[in-house]
């Protein structure tokens, strides 16, 4: 497995080297002392690699402050000594570098390394948690590796780090404190609500929060254990056991004691028997990275056996029996140059940040989402700000927060539009997401082109260019008008001959017979999409039942919660005139095979049995082949539901079947990890053959 890495910083002379060391020390101190840093991870890694390259050529000129000889985090010198040095890890950035490391490990231990523990490298702050007779008594940061800072004031605020173990043992648990994505969002809401600057990213948020002693508020954090060792007064029998257990067994014991570890995540630590198996696991974890609810910046590989660890030994800053296989950075610092305001098909006015170009994970990023005006205000974003930009996998890049300590005073407030930037109408600012008062009519072309799309009404021949033509000719003012078009009206348009006119009219007639789920999707109700539209249609069966539903009834549909239900009900009421027009021109308003729900207070009938996928949750991933090749993903999901199953976009323990086509990646890997049944497109086609004929 190869990975492209950013080049090391180029250092040309001793003066540049001294400056680089100063910059690295300052960046480390800023991060480890306060959770903020002028450099992102990738920039810091490149700087340290450049320092190491210069030192390799000039061994007599190495400065004592150089970060290459210190434990990461050593900028903070604590006053609590570690019983065993709390070292950091050396890094590799490619399969070739990893293979070289395994060869070095084999030479040190005197035989081929054949047992490795492989797990995620969590992006947080390392701490040691000391338990006396099963009770948590002290929390200590890594510090300089020999002594750390006492952060015991945080006891009771970290999820996954129990105040009492399941057994009354005296041990030290080492691990990482971090914030999940949800905890990070909540932390920034609370922090900005108290007048503070938002955290730049979850890692900085966890580091700053763990050290804070006198804040007026608390925010949650999460702990993941990665080590278990005895203390000086640990029972001798237990101490001997801990010193001899393989790392994988230590982690199993930690879990039995009630400590949160990676075992409960989608990327649990596993044991690999060969370097090749390690690289396969590295690839699997990397593929799942974007879906994880917490940040990782690499994969940790350890010699699993205690004897191998002792034989390999440790250096002054890192053990020789463990390595971090670093993944490409998903966060970088760049500048916010401008903000564009775009209007979507439903009239939503969405801000988009224009960035100073920055390369993240191999892609040059020049735009990033800013969510909504309320989010801009909450994060106190300004034009000219240095901002932390996050991108993982295919996720749309987003601006996390300003790097406030890099402000120069020349930053300017972001101006919000007073009128719709597209049509000049008033703006409805009643919700966090602003909307043009004209709603869908503001961007009628986009709204109609979406409704005509393959996964909605599938009106062949009605692309955006044709929609523009119809709107500009005054023939269409809403979706229902499409179904009142006459042959002579279409023939009068440019580039509309008899054949294309007849084909479009035939496609419109066919669209009128589409199932309710597609009609509902074509309406573009905010908060719903293709899968949600299918769920709503299958639950209520008819448009009349959907329109009669209140918020409480709407919440009975899977995936619709208390926040989303009222907005869906309100928007359906807003769409009532259009829905009436669609029904009047003969558009179908029922879902084939669906049964309306019972009246309020009545007992529901037992769900209908039957269908080859009855009761199964099915995930489709990769490119389909054979009989399924021409089906869109939406059509595949419809097929799943017609066969009695439930389509899903994510793999979990509740998934019964994953249909894995060509190019299936992270979802296939997760299915294999969870032991979920896999099927090829051909096997799935045979399973639902009666519905394909």
């Amino acid at each position: 497995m190869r990975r492209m890495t950013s080049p090391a910083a180029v250092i040309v002379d001793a003066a540049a080297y001294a400056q680089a060391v100063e910059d690295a020390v300052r960046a480390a101190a800023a991060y480890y002392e306060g959770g903020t840093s002028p450099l992102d991870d990738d920039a810091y890694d490149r700087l340290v690699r450049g320092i190491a390259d210069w030192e390799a050529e000039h061994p007599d000129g190495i400065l004592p402050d150089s970060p290459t000889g210190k434990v990461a985090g050593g900028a903070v010198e604590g006053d609590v000594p570690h019983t065993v040095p709390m070292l950091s890890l050396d890094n590799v950035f490619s399969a070739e570098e990893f293979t070289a490391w395994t060869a070095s490990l084999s030479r040190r231990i005197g035989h081929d390394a054949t047992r490795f523990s492989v797990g995620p490298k969590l992006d947080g702050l390392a701490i040691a948690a000391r338990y006396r007779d099963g009770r948590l008594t002290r929390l200590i940061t890594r510090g300089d590796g020999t002594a750390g800072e006492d952060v015991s004031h945080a006891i009771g605020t970290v999820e996954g780090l129990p105040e009492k173990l399941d057994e009354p043992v005296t041990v030290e648990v080492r691990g990482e404190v971090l914030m999940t994505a949800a905890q990070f969002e909540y932390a920034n809401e609370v922090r900005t609500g108290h007048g503070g600057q938002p955290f730049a990213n979850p890692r900085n948020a966890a580091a700053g929060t763990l050290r804070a002693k006198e804040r007026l508020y608390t925010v949650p954090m999460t702990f993941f254990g990665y080590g278990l060792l005895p203390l000086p007064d640990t029972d001798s029998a237990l101490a001997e056991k801990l010193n001899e257990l393989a790392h994988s067994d230590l982690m199993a014991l930690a879990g039995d004691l009630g400590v949160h570890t990676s075992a409960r995540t989608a990327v649990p630590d596993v044991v690999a028997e060969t370097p090749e198996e390690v690289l396969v696991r590295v690839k699997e974890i990397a593929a799942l990275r974007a879906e994880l609810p917490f940040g990782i910046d690499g994969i940790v590989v350890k010699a699993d056996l205690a004897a191998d660890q002792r034989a390999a030994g440790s250096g002054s800053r890192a053990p020789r029996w463990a390595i971090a296989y670093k993944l490409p950075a998903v966060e970088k610092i760049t500048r916010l140059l401008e903000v564009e305001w775009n209007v979507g098909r439903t009239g939503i006015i969405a801000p988009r940040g224009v960035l100073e170009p920055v390369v993240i994970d191999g892609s040059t990023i020049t735009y990033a989402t800013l969510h909504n005006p309320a989010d801009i205000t909450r994060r106190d974003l300004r034009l000219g700000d240095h901002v932390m930009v996050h991108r993982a996998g295919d996720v749309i890049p987003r601006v996390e927060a300003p790097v406030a300590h890099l402000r120069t005073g020349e930053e300017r407030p972001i101006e919000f539009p007073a009128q719709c930037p597209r049509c000049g109408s008033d703006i409805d600012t009643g919700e966090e997401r602003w909307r043009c008062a004209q709603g869908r009519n503001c961007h009628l072309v986009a709204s109609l082109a979406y409704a005509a799309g393959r996964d909605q009404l599938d009106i062949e021949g009605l692309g955006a260019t044709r929609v523009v033509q119809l709107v500009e000719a005054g023939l269409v003012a809403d979706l229902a008008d499409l179904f009142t078009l006459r042959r002579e009206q279409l023939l009068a348009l440019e580039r509309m001959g008899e054949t294309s006119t007849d084909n479009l009219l035939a496609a419109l007639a066919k669209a009128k017979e589409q199932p309710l789920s597609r009609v509902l999707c074509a309406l573009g109700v905010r908060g719903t999409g293709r899968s949600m539209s299918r769920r709503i249609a299958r639950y209520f069966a008819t448009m009349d039942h959907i329109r009669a539903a209140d918020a409480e009834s709407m919440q009975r549909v899977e995936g619709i919660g208390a926040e989303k239900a009222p907005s869906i009900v309100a928007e359906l009421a807003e769409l009532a005139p259009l829905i009436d027009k669609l029904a009047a021109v003969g558009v179908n308003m029922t879902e084939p095979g669906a049964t309306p729900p019972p009246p309020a207070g009545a007992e529901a009938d037992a769900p209908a049995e039957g269908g080859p996928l009855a009761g199964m949750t099915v995930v489709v991933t990769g490119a389909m082949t054979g009989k399924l090749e021409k089906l869109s993903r939406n059509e595949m999901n419809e097929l799943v539901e017609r066969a009695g199953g439930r389509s899903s976009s994510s793999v979990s323990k509740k998934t019964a079947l994953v249909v894995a086509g060509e190019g299936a990646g992270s979802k296939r890997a997760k299915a294999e990890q969870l032991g979920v049944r896999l099927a090829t497109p051909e096997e799935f086609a045979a399973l639902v053959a009666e519905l394909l004929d």
Side-chain angles (χ1 to χ4, degrees):
M1 175 182 174
R2 293 187 60 85
R3 78 155 263 207
M4 299 299 293
T5 61
S6 300
V10 177
I11 298 175
V12 296
D13 54 29
Y17 165 71
Q19 184 63 55
V21 169
E22 182 180 336
D23 291 345
V25 170
R26 186 188 306 116
Y31 166 60
Y32 285 102
E33 291 175 9
T36 59
S37 172
L39 301 178
D40 55 51
D41 280 356
D42 187 63
Y44 182 79
D45 280 346
R46 286 190 288 110
L47 185 62
V48 172
R49 295 208 306 274
I51 290 171
D53 290 347
W54 194 90
E55 290 175 348
E57 296 182 6
H58 306 83
D60 295 335
I62 297 176
L63 293 173
D65 288 340
S66 171
T68 60
K70 292 186 176 182
V71 172
V76 178
E77 294 184 2
D79 55 7
V80 182
H82 292 299
T83 55
V84 175
M86 197 170 181
L87 306 180
S88 54
L89 294 174
D90 285 331
N91 300 323
V92 295
F93 296 87
S94 67
E96 291 80 3
E97 291 182 9
F98 171 73
T99 301
W101 175 80
T102 60
S104 173
L105 175 64
S106 295
R107 287 195 300 272
R108 291 182 186 279
I109 64 178
H111 59 83
D112 288 343
T114 58
R115 188 177 170 96
F116 302 91
S117 174
V118 190
K121 184 178 182 295
L122 300 154
D123 198 8
L125 185 74
I127 66 166
R130 293 182 179 175
Y131 287 87
R132 304 286 178 182
D133 299 321
R135 293 193 175 277
L136 180 57
T137 60
R138 211 164 199 183
L139 293 181
I140 310 158
T141 65
R142 172 183 283 141
D144 64 359
T146 59
E149 179 184 358
D150 192 324
V151 289
S152 301
H153 58 270
I155 290 175
T157 68
V158 184
E159 297 178 8
L161 189 61
E163 294 184 59
K164 183 179 179 182
L165 297 176
D166 290 347
E167 294 183 24
V169 292
T170 296
V171 294
E172 179 169 295
V173 178
R174 291 184 174 180
E176 204 87 2
V177 172
L178 52 77
M179 281 189 184
T180 65
Q183 288 172 339
F184 174 62
E185 289 298 322
Y186 176 73
N188 268 345
E189 286 182 17
V190 173
R191 183 173 169 85
T192 55
H194 281 78
Q197 291 292 337
F199 293 111
N201 56 31
R203 181 203 58 212
N204 290 6
T209 299
L210 191 68
R211 290 194 169 87
K213 294 182 179 180
E214 298 179 356
R215 282 184 182 163
L216 298 176
Y217 58 88
T218 59
V219 293
M221 297 172 285
T222 298
F223 176 82
F224 285 86
Y226 61 63
L228 186 64
L229 62 153
L231 291 169
D233 52 347
T234 297
D235 174 80
S236 59
L238 176 59
E240 183 177 354
K241 176 181 179 181
L242 295 178
N243 288 328
E244 294 302 323
L245 280 178
H247 175 76
S248 53
D249 294 329
L250 283 174
M251 288 299 90
L253 177 57
D256 291 341
L257 291 173
V259 174
H260 187 222
T261 70
S262 70
R264 306 180 190 179
T265 73
V267 285
D269 284 30
V270 300
V271 174
E273 300 293 341
T274 65
E276 291 74 24
E277 287 184 16
V278 171
L279 291 174
V280 169
R281 184 57 180 164
V282 166
K283 189 174 182 180
E284 291 173 350
I285 294 176
L288 293 168
R289 184 186 193 184
E291 302 174 18
L292 298 175
F294 49 82
I296 66 171
D297 58 0
I299 292 89
V300 177
V301 184
K302 301 177 180 179
D304 191 48
L305 299 178
D308 287 348
Q309 293 180 8
R310 284 194 296 270
S314 297
S316 61
R317 64 175 300 275
R320 298 188 180 96
W321 46 267
I323 200 75
Y325 192 122
K326 293 294 288 289
L327 296 175
V330 295
E331 290 183 330
K332 292 283 188 72
I333 295 174
T334 187
R335 290 180 65 240
L336 177 63
L337 303 178
E338 296 290 343
V339 173
E340 297 177 348
W341 297 88
N342 302 311
V343 184
R345 58 182 172 76
T346 64
I348 294 294
I349 301 170
R352 181 173 74 160
V354 182
L355 308 173
E356 196 169 83
V358 60
V359 177
I360 304 180
D361 196 7
S363 298
T364 300
I365 307 300
T366 53
Y367 298 99
T369 182
L370 294 173
H371 302 292
N372 54 61
D375 193 66
I376 291 174
T377 301
R378 186 162 50 240
R379 296 179 191 271
D380 188 28
L381 289 165
R382 306 172 194 176
L383 296 180
D385 260 335
H386 285 82
V387 293
M388 186 68 73
V389 179
H390 178 95
R391 177 184 183 269
D394 295 327
V395 176
I396 297 172
R398 67 178 185 268
V399 172
E400 291 281 32
V403 186
H405 63 282
L406 295 182
R407 282 180 172 158
T408 63
E410 298 181 1
E411 294 79 14
R412 295 169 287 123
I414 294 171
E415 294 185 8
F416 294 171
Q419 287 84 35
C420 172
R422 189 174 192 282
C423 71
S425 298
D426 291 339
I427 298 176
D428 179 0
T429 61
E431 298 182 13
E432 285 200 347
R433 300 181 72 193
W434 290 7
R435 192 184 188 203
C436 174
Q438 296 295 319
R440 288 168 176 75
N441 290 335
C442 173
H443 212 332
L444 182 60
V445 170
S447 180
L448 293 178
Y450 171 80
R454 181 180 179 185
D455 289 333
Q456 287 70 247
L457 294 178
D458 194 16
I459 307 174
E460 191 173 348
L462 192 62
T465 302
R466 187 68 68 207
V467 170
V468 170
Q469 196 176 20
L470 293 171
V471 171
E472 290 182 347
L475 298 179
V476 175
D478 60 31
L479 179 58
D481 286 344
L482 289 173
F483 300 100
T484 64
L485 290 170
R486 300 190 303 276
R487 192 169 190 271
E488 59 271 21
Q489 290 175 315
L490 294 174
L491 286 171
L493 299 174
E494 292 185 13
R495 300 181 302 280
M496 281 297 287
E498 292 190 1
T499 299
S500 56
T501 293
D502 290 340
N503 287 342
L504 178 55
L505 289 172
L508 287 165
K510 182 180 177 182
K512 290 166 70 172
E513 304 303 320
Q514 291 282 17
L516 172 61
S517 55
R518 285 177 170 258
V519 176
L520 188 61
C521 189
L523 290 172
V525 177
R526 285 175 294 167
T528 70
R530 292 169 293 187
S531 60
M532 186 58 71
S533 294
R534 287 196 303 272
R535 292 180 206 166
I536 294 172
R538 291 187 69 82
Y539 182 83
F540 290 104
T542 71
M543 181 63 83
D544 286 343
H545 282 93
I546 293 175
R547 295 172 68 181
D550 57 15
E552 183 179 352
S553 300
M554 192 62 69
Q555 287 184 61
R556 297 186 187 124
V557 178
E558 182 183 0
I560 298 181
E563 292 185 6
K564 185 180 288 187
S567 65
I568 293 175
V569 171
E571 189 152 0
L572 286 166
E574 177 187 315
L575 288 166
L578 176 58
I579 294 172
D580 288 339
K581 281 185 68 175
L582 288 168
V585 297
V587 173
N588 173 55
M589 294 290 169
T590 62
E591 183 71 8
T595 304
E603 289 189 12
D605 294 333
E609 297 292 336
L613 304 179
M616 297 172 65
T617 297
V618 181
V619 174
V620 178
T621 183
M624 296 296 103
T625 54
K627 292 183 178 181
L628 308 177
E629 184 175 6
K630 295 183 179 180
L631 297 184
S632 68
R633 188 53 41 86
N634 189 48
E635 289 168 333
M636 280 293 295
N637 291 337
E638 288 178 340
L639 180 59
V640 167
E641 292 175 9
R642 282 193 286 120
R646 174 189 174 275
S647 61
S648 176
S649 60
S650 60
V651 179
S652 70
K653 291 181 179 179
K654 295 181 180 179
T655 306
L657 177 67
V658 171
V659 184
E662 293 180 2
S666 62
K667 293 178 183 178
R668 181 189 184 104
K670 189 170 183 179
E672 291 173 340
Q673 171 211 323
L674 295 176
V676 174
R677 176 186 172 191
L678 287 163
T680 65
E682 289 72 23
E683 290 169 339
F684 181 75
L687 194 61
V688 296
E690 62 187 48
L691 298 173
L692 290 173
D693 296 334

